[in-house]
Amino acid sequence: MWSNNEPWQKGGSKEGHAILAYGYSGNTIYWWDPSDNSNHKASAAASYSALKARGMTFITG
């Protein structure tokens, strides 16, 4: 994920890093961003759009 493509951030740098989806409720996805150890939430549509813009990889376990 590029930092400036995160669904909760407008603008910003083009630093690439991983984010982790840790839950959902209805149409909201909850994210943890390890780059600044912060939690965020975004709609499923906004999350998908942001991830699709720069490629995506899903790892489940």
Side-chain angles (χ1 to χ4, degrees):
M1 168 64 68
W2 294 107
S3 295
N4 63 339
N5 281 81
E6 294 166 336
W8 51 86
Q9 181 161 304
K10 304 293 183 210
S13 64
K14 284 192 173 188
E15 298 170 339
H17 66 284
I19 57 175
L20 174 74
Y22 65 88
Y24 68 94
S25 178
N27 192 36
T28 302
I29 299 177
Y30 296 92
W31 297 96
W32 173 61
D33 188 342
S35 70
D36 62 0
N37 194 29
S38 60
N39 294 309
H40 304 275
K41 64 182 179 178
S43 71
S47 297
Y48 179 77
S49 178
L51 291 168
K52 186 178 175 188
R54 292 291 179 200
M56 63 180 111
T57 301
F58 294 99
I59 302 170
T60 62

